[in-house]
Amino acid sequence: MRAVIQRVTRAEVSVDGEVVGRVPPECGGLLVLVGVADGDDSADAEWMARKIAHLRVMPDAEGRMNRSVVECGGALLLVSQFTLLGDARKGRRPSFDRAALPAVAVPLLETVRLHLLSEGIPVETGRFGAHMEVGLVNDGPVTLVLDSAERSR
């Protein structure tokens, strides 16, 4: 499972012109783009959710990244993005063979969402499989990449 995490002052995702999820500007938080890989399981989803919830990427009173989204009361926008697993090493067209099929990806994304909710984080989502438009204001900018396949390193 691969995630691109961006600290945002606001973010939203729309489908067919309708906003389906957002991080409101009054609280800020994280936009998390997640790709589920073939072979990922609930342990990957749980690890990813814990890591996202407790990453110290939110500013403290002095502007240092010392607080998590849980500690600062921020919100989270979780958007599925299988293209994070694209392999563009050969040729000019990326291969998405490493991405999990929807029957696997959807339940694992839901596992991530439920774990984040259990941490007390307000979570909104995009719409799986839809053509989405994502807008954001990156705060910092702060952008990190996590991959559950590398968690044992």
Side-chain angles (χ1 to χ4, degrees):
M1 188 171 285
R2 186 170 292 155
V4 173
I5 300 155
Q6 296 180 296
R7 187 175 77 188
V8 297
T9 55
R10 64 182 178 274
E12 68 179 32
V13 60
S14 300
V15 176
D16 296 327
E18 172 195 354
V19 174
V20 296
R22 65 190 203 106
V23 171
E26 56 272 7
C27 67
L30 301 175
L31 167 64
V32 181
L33 306 171
V34 179
V36 179
D38 189 31
D40 284 345
D41 58 21
S42 60
D44 293 286
E46 292 168 15
W47 178 86
M48 188 64 74
R50 273 193 316 276
K51 197 70 162 172
I52 292 166
H54 297 286
L55 274 174
R56 292 173 42 178
V57 296
M58 304 303 284
D60 62 14
E62 295 161 3
R64 293 192 185 112
M65 292 193 300
N66 275 328
R67 299 171 63 201
S68 69
V69 70
V70 171
E71 293 169 312
C72 73
L76 196 138
L77 178 55
L78 185 68
V79 178
S80 172
Q81 189 171 345
F82 77 94
T83 60
L84 289 175
L85 297 156
D87 183 352
R89 291 177 294 175
K90 294 183 181 178
R92 294 179 296 187
R93 183 185 311 267
S95 167
F96 300 105
D97 291 346
R98 289 200 49 233
L101 295 173
V104 173
V106 171
L108 289 177
L109 288 166
E110 180 64 5
T111 299
V112 171
R113 187 183 76 81
L114 291 173
H115 278 284
L116 291 165
L117 284 169
S118 74
E119 295 280 356
I121 305 168
V123 179
E124 295 197 11
T125 65
R127 192 171 293 156
F128 189 91
H131 180 88
M132 296 177 275
E133 293 182 356
V134 179
L136 68 134
V137 176
N138 194 317
D139 182 21
V142 174
T143 303
L144 299 168
V145 178
L146 293 178
D147 195 319
S148 64
E150 297 176 3
R151 70 180 183 259
S152 60
R153 283 186 179 185

